[in-house]
Amino acid sequence: MQVIHATAVEDLRWELQGTILGLGTLDGVHRGHQAILQRVVTRAAADGGTPAALTFAQHPLQVVRPEQAPPLITPLPLKLALLERLGMAAVVVIHFTPALAALEAGAFVERALVDGLRVRGLCVGYDFGFGRGRQGNVELLRALSRRHGFWLEVIPPVTVGGQVVSSRAIRGLLIQGRVAEAQRLLGRPYCLAGEVERGEGRGRHLGFATANLPVPDSELLKDGVYAGRVLVRGDFRDAMMNLGNGPTFRGGIHRLEIHMPGWEEPLYGERIIAFFLARLRDERRFADGAALRAQLGRDRE
């Protein structure tokens, strides 16, 4: 998959033929986004074009209204992996800047999509907005498509169990720790990835050896103990995982501690992916190590 990183409209250039483009922040690459991208692939195959996507490295609000910017559901490396898996041959990643935020909607279409990326067609969601202050909407985009000679297809809302799938709804569920419900909207389990780092060895001393992943304080998933699976060395392992600060031992670094029953080998420096399937309980402080060990046994069951 070809990836172009852009910090200015002049960077939006490629030599692809007949680009069929899906546009959006695409945070989560959830079922709604998947419907857009699946349509991109279908139309590209029918038209003999190239399926591609345009997305952002960060949420645009981090530039225009940083105090309102939500935490990301999918960091960029995961988003790119998901886009490739969904059939994108090329992706433009915009690293949003004040100059790009100030670009008028019509200028964005003409300079970026028509002159730069030479699109043959666009697929967007029903609530797509673009241009300075999100002044552009699907009605304006439809008029611009006729003016510039490309087609536009607007994908209607996708619902699961009567609920409209959206990044906002998924964030709301993750903030509450409701990972099973978030999975239904995402179309896959929520996950965190990273390189295993050394801990203090307390888990091993308690009989529950852990692999520890660093997690930023901005992580949106609610702290607590979860059941899940971990992709390690190419295989999936059942796991129980604690997201938080380890309050029993006076707290500390915010991280994810992963215990995989039956696994004892050190994984320091290795990259693993942890998938969250169900929330078991809140993280809490225990009176001593023996009380914590007893609870960990119940968690493992």
Side-chain angles (χ1 to χ4, degrees):
M1 183 176 74
Q2 179 181 348
V3 179
I4 293 176
H5 292 271
T7 57
V9 72
E10 291 76 20
D11 299 330
L12 299 172
R13 297 285 186 274
W14 56 26
E15 299 303 320
L16 300 178
Q17 300 300 313
T19 302
I20 310 302
L21 195 67
L23 283 75
T25 305
L26 304 179
D27 186 27
V29 196
H30 53 59
R31 289 188 184 274
H33 299 142
Q34 291 167 33
I36 296 170
L37 299 171
Q38 288 163 1
R39 194 59 186 154
V40 167
V41 171
T42 299
R43 292 296 299 261
D47 294 352
T50 303
L54 183 150
T55 188
F56 296 88
Q58 77 276 59
H59 198 287
L61 282 176
Q62 288 183 347
V63 172
V64 297
R65 290 193 298 276
E67 71 283 356
Q68 297 179 23
L72 292 179
I73 301 168
T74 45
L76 184 58
L78 175 59
K79 183 193 289 190
L80 291 176
L82 291 167
L83 292 176
E84 183 171 24
R85 192 174 186 86
L86 287 166
M88 299 301 101
V91 174
V92 172
V93 178
I94 293 180
H95 297 259
F96 213 46
T97 65
L100 285 171
L103 198 62
E104 299 288 341
F108 172 77
V109 169
E110 183 174 352
R111 296 174 60 189
L113 302 185
V114 177
D115 295 341
L117 302 178
R118 300 184 296 175
V119 298
R120 181 183 297 172
L122 297 179
C123 294
V124 301
Y126 68 99
D127 58 351
F128 180 70
F130 65 105
R132 184 163 63 91
R134 283 178 64 90
Q135 63 188 208
N137 53 27
V138 293
E139 287 76 18
L140 177 60
L141 191 56
R142 199 181 306 279
L144 291 170
S145 72
R146 291 192 290 266
R147 181 187 306 171
H148 293 289
F150 59 85
W151 54 257
L152 172 69
E153 183 169 346
V154 179
I155 308 302
V158 173
T159 61
V160 174
Q163 180 176 10
V164 175
V165 177
S166 71
S167 299
R168 178 179 294 180
I170 292 166
R171 288 190 197 97
L173 292 170
L174 294 174
I175 288 169
Q176 299 175 65
R178 295 158 64 182
V179 291
E181 293 169 69
Q183 178 176 340
R184 294 172 61 236
L185 303 187
L186 280 167
R188 66 180 183 283
Y190 181 70
C191 67
L192 293 175
E195 291 186 2
V196 177
E197 62 181 18
R198 288 186 179 274
E200 291 79 22
R202 295 193 181 103
R204 186 175 298 277
H205 177 72
L206 293 170
F208 293 84
T210 61
N212 303 307
L213 293 186
V215 176
D217 288 334
S218 60
E219 168 57 39
L220 59 82
L221 182 61
K222 184 178 183 180
D223 286 353
V225 179
Y226 292 86
R229 305 198 82 197
V230 176
L231 182 60
V232 53
R233 295 181 182 174
D235 291 318
F236 283 101
R237 304 277 306 196
D238 292 333
M240 66 177 190
M241 307 181 289
N242 185 87
L243 178 65
N245 298 300
T248 298
F249 298 102
R250 297 183 179 274
I253 300 171
H254 193 242
R255 63 187 171 196
L256 180 65
E257 298 173 289
I258 303 166
H259 172 68
M260 296 175 284
W263 185 282
E264 297 292 336
E265 295 182 51
L267 292 166
Y268 304 129
E270 296 189 39
R271 185 170 179 81
I272 64 177
I273 306 176
F275 297 85
F276 296 80
L277 300 181
R279 191 171 195 274
L280 302 180
R281 61 175 174 84
D282 288 338
E283 184 187 41
R284 65 179 187 267
R285 184 174 183 176
F286 293 87
D288 52 34
L292 173 58
R293 183 188 299 113
Q295 180 61 57
L296 291 176
R298 292 190 288 271
D299 293 338
R300 184 162 57 186
E301 286 300 312

